[in-house]
Amino acid sequence: MAKLASKINLKIALFCIIALLPLIWLRGGFKSIYLDLDTARDLHELSNIWIGRIVWVGPELRHGFNITPFYYYLFYPALLIGNGDARALIIFNIVLSLAVLVWLGWLGITKKKPAWLLGVLVIGLSPWWQKISIHPGNGDTYAIFILASLISLSFGKPFWLSSFLMGIAVAFHPTSIFAFPLLLHEWFLRKGQYLKNFIFIIAGFILPWLPNIIFTIITKGYWIRQWLSKPGWQVALTSDVGNNAFNVFQLAKLSGFSVVLALFLWLLTGLMIGKTKEKFWYVMGSLLIILLALISPMPDRYLYGILTMTLFVIVLGLVKKSWGGLVLLMLIILLTTNVVKNPPQEEERSIPVQENNIDIFIKKGQIEKEQKIAVLSALRGYKHITPQGGLTPQSNDYRFFLRTKGFKALDVWDYSQAEILVLFIEDPQFDWEEWCSWELDQFGAKKLRFITKVGQTRMIVFDKI
């Protein structure tokens, strides 16, 4: 009876943790979540699916290299359920994150390791995990599937599940491939099942790429030809250790710990790791950290997967020691302090703000849903987010909001057919009257209908002459 009561109490504790985390992640509301260009790009592709088009390839990560659009179709049902509300995508991403953490906590309880609940809190309170949980998209969500695949491998779940989860992670973002050796190692350890598990690996990695494969067959290799014609990756091995150290320092910063504490935790984990599989994971994590010091600086998003792996290995080591729970508790206190000291700020550019701009445009513009609309925008320059001079004529998010509200927002190459041109000028310093671009030329001769302003955004509407 005492054991049953203890297990029930642990489940209640897990429920409380999972109920608390989304409140922390969304404590600033949807207006605190910056709508970046990658998210706007994804919204555009989801709006294509919304109006009945098939999206065959995903975003172009590097010159000519398009990843799979699998994640568009994974998120699309959430958009349908939300009746076109982009916030539904954020909520769905949060649900994915919580589902993986629930799974981890539940498996820890079943293995009679209640310290895993503290591990769930350490992961959930980490700054980078909070960020990826509220930012749907390939550059963030892939880390959720990396964690899911590591949980599956660590707790000895069916190999097909581990393969499929890792295949999805790689399909979301190819940097996930660093975790592939962990899957191969598990394949090697499960003796007598080599052929069957090899088939699972192949299937797990190929299935998410089916849209690209079908598109390649239909176009007689167009996607592959484009990739081979202009290959290029901006990450390279260099000898500038001082410059490359940025990656290691950034890894520690994103974790929420100081470099000294992060290094101490990693070295401490090396002393605690016991099993062959866990030792291999630790060695691979160490090699990846060393590799980061040898390659050119990388964007934050490229580091999320390595953060996921290293933090999971640290937690894996701590939960198996009687005093490990105390260390985890101290980390929770530190991370909670970070949460309190760093309240989220309202962003100038967010889903509610952009949607409000569209609603005002629709109300004041007196346009009909049958009219064809060309949309252009000029953004403010944000460090590490957009070029410092702003970016034109990015308008993917505006196109999404118009389409999901039933309006005919055209693709850029169809602007010659448009009856109305709308300029959303977010940069107050941008001289729209002197704006010359191919997209404007496509629209043709025009006359001004009206100008209005909402916050910092000016909306200029033209009719075609």
Side-chain angles (χ1 to χ4, degrees):
M1 185 62 72
K3 290 183 178 180
L4 178 61
S6 176
K7 184 169 286 190
I8 291 174
N9 289 336
L10 289 175
K11 291 177 181 178
I12 292 173
L14 177 60
F15 173 80
C16 292
I17 290 171
I18 297 306
L20 175 67
L21 287 177
L23 298 179
I24 294 175
W25 298 341
L26 280 176
R27 63 191 183 279
F30 291 105
K31 285 188 177 182
S32 68
I33 303 173
Y34 183 81
L35 202 170
D36 59 34
L37 301 187
D38 285 351
T39 303
R41 171 204 66 199
D42 294 343
L43 290 177
H44 165 68
E45 296 298 347
L46 284 165
S47 75
N48 277 325
I49 302 174
W50 184 268
I51 62 176
R53 296 175 180 173
I54 297 176
V55 177
W56 290 108
V57 294
E60 187 179 60
L61 290 192
R62 286 291 180 265
H63 302 300
F65 180 76
N66 292 81
I67 63 171
T68 171
F70 173 81
Y71 74 97
Y72 295 147
Y73 293 99
L74 181 66
F75 278 92
Y76 186 67
L79 189 65
L80 279 178
I81 294 171
N83 195 31
D85 192 328
R87 281 162 284 221
L89 304 175
I90 297 175
I91 293 172
F92 177 67
N93 203 63
I94 289 174
V95 170
L96 279 179
S97 175
L98 290 175
V100 172
L101 294 180
V102 167
W103 192 32
L104 175 58
W106 188 268
L107 290 175
I109 292 172
T110 58
K111 292 290 184 180
K112 299 180 181 179
K113 292 286 184 180
W116 271 114
L117 296 184
L118 298 177
V120 168
L121 261 179
V122 168
I123 295 172
L125 291 173
S126 298
W128 57 276
W129 191 266
Q130 294 182 57
K131 184 177 182 299
I132 66 173
S133 296
I134 60 175
H135 284 87
N138 71 300
D140 297 276
T141 309
Y142 80 98
I144 297 175
F145 285 97
I146 286 181
L147 179 59
S149 64
L150 294 180
I151 293 170
S152 182
L153 290 170
S154 178
F155 284 88
K157 294 297 145 183
F159 192 77
W160 65 265
L161 180 60
S162 304
S163 299
F164 187 60
L165 290 170
M166 192 162 291
I168 293 177
V170 174
F172 267 59
H173 206 287
T175 53
S176 304
I177 200 66
F178 78 85
F180 185 60
L182 308 188
L183 187 66
L184 284 182
H185 186 249
E186 184 71 14
W187 173 74
F188 175 77
L189 291 177
R190 300 195 183 192
K191 298 178 180 180
Q193 305 177 49
Y194 290 144
L195 180 59
K196 180 180 71 173
N197 288 340
F198 179 74
I199 293 173
F200 286 148
I201 292 175
I202 297 300
F205 278 73
I206 286 180
L207 285 175
W209 291 84
L210 281 179
N212 292 62
I213 295 171
I214 295 171
F215 178 75
T216 300
I217 294 172
I218 293 173
T219 60
K220 298 180 180 179
Y222 173 80
W223 172 64
I224 296 178
R225 291 198 305 272
Q226 283 291 103
W227 178 29
L228 294 177
S229 68
K230 45 182 179 180
W233 297 90
Q234 295 177 352
V235 175
L237 290 171
T238 72
S239 58
D240 189 354
V241 178
N243 188 39
N244 297 345
F246 170 85
N247 289 327
V248 179
F249 281 99
Q250 192 68 359
L251 194 72
K253 180 181 177 182
L254 291 170
S255 72
F257 309 131
S258 66
V259 175
V260 174
L261 177 57
L263 181 60
F264 171 76
L265 287 172
W266 189 249
L267 294 176
L268 181 64
T269 301
L271 298 175
M272 296 184 296
I273 289 294
K275 293 182 179 179
T276 301
K277 178 164 63 177
E278 294 170 4
K279 286 181 179 178
F280 180 79
W281 287 23
Y282 182 81
V283 169
M284 286 302 303
S286 301
L287 290 176
L288 286 170
I289 293 171
I290 294 171
L291 181 63
L292 285 178
L294 300 176
I295 59 178
S296 56
M298 300 169 64
D300 290 356
R301 289 177 170 179
Y302 286 25
L303 302 175
Y304 293 157
I306 298 176
L307 272 168
T308 304
M309 176 181 169
T310 52
L311 184 57
F312 183 76
V313 171
I314 289 172
V315 173
L316 185 62
L318 289 173
V319 297
K320 295 191 175 181
K321 300 296 180 180
S322 57
W323 49 266
L326 180 60
V327 177
L328 289 171
L329 187 59
M330 293 173 63
L331 295 180
I332 289 170
I333 294 172
L334 176 61
L335 291 170
T336 303
T337 302
N338 288 340
V339 169
V340 175
K341 290 172 59 177
N342 298 287
Q345 304 295 318
E346 187 171 307
E347 298 283 356
E348 293 181 14
R349 180 166 238 281
S350 64
I351 288 173
V353 169
Q354 303 304 87
E355 188 173 37
N356 181 61
N357 290 343
I358 287 293
D359 288 338
I360 291 174
F361 157 69
I362 292 171
K363 182 179 179 180
K364 292 191 174 184
Q366 298 180 346
I367 59 174
E368 304 293 333
K369 289 190 174 181
E370 293 74 23
Q371 292 180 300
K372 297 177 180 178
I373 307 170
V375 186
L376 297 176
S377 58
L379 279 60
R380 292 167 60 93
Y382 287 89
K383 190 177 182 181
H384 304 312
I385 299 177
T386 65
Q388 287 299 291
L391 187 67
T392 59
Q394 191 275 337
S395 52
N396 289 327
D397 42 4
Y398 290 111
R399 188 177 294 111
F400 166 86
F401 292 120
L402 284 168
R403 284 178 173 175
T404 53
K405 292 178 185 296
F407 291 87
K408 293 185 177 180
L410 302 179
D411 289 315
V412 174
W413 50 82
D414 293 327
Y415 278 8
S416 60
Q417 305 172 24
E419 303 165 69
I420 297 172
L421 171 65
V422 189
L423 307 182
F424 292 94
I425 310 300
E426 299 180 26
D427 184 354
Q429 306 301 319
F430 187 83
D431 187 356
W432 61 271
E433 294 183 284
E434 298 298 323
W435 192 1
C436 296
S437 73
W438 172 84
E439 293 82 5
L440 284 170
D441 292 340
Q442 283 290 298
F443 182 75
K446 57 188 181 295
K447 64 178 180 180
L448 182 65
R449 178 188 290 192
F450 73 88
I451 301 176
T452 190
K453 187 176 182 181
V454 181
Q456 294 293 318
T457 303
R458 286 171 292 170
M459 290 176 277
I460 301 100
V461 182
F462 297 91
D463 289 310
K464 178 171 285 186
I465 299 176

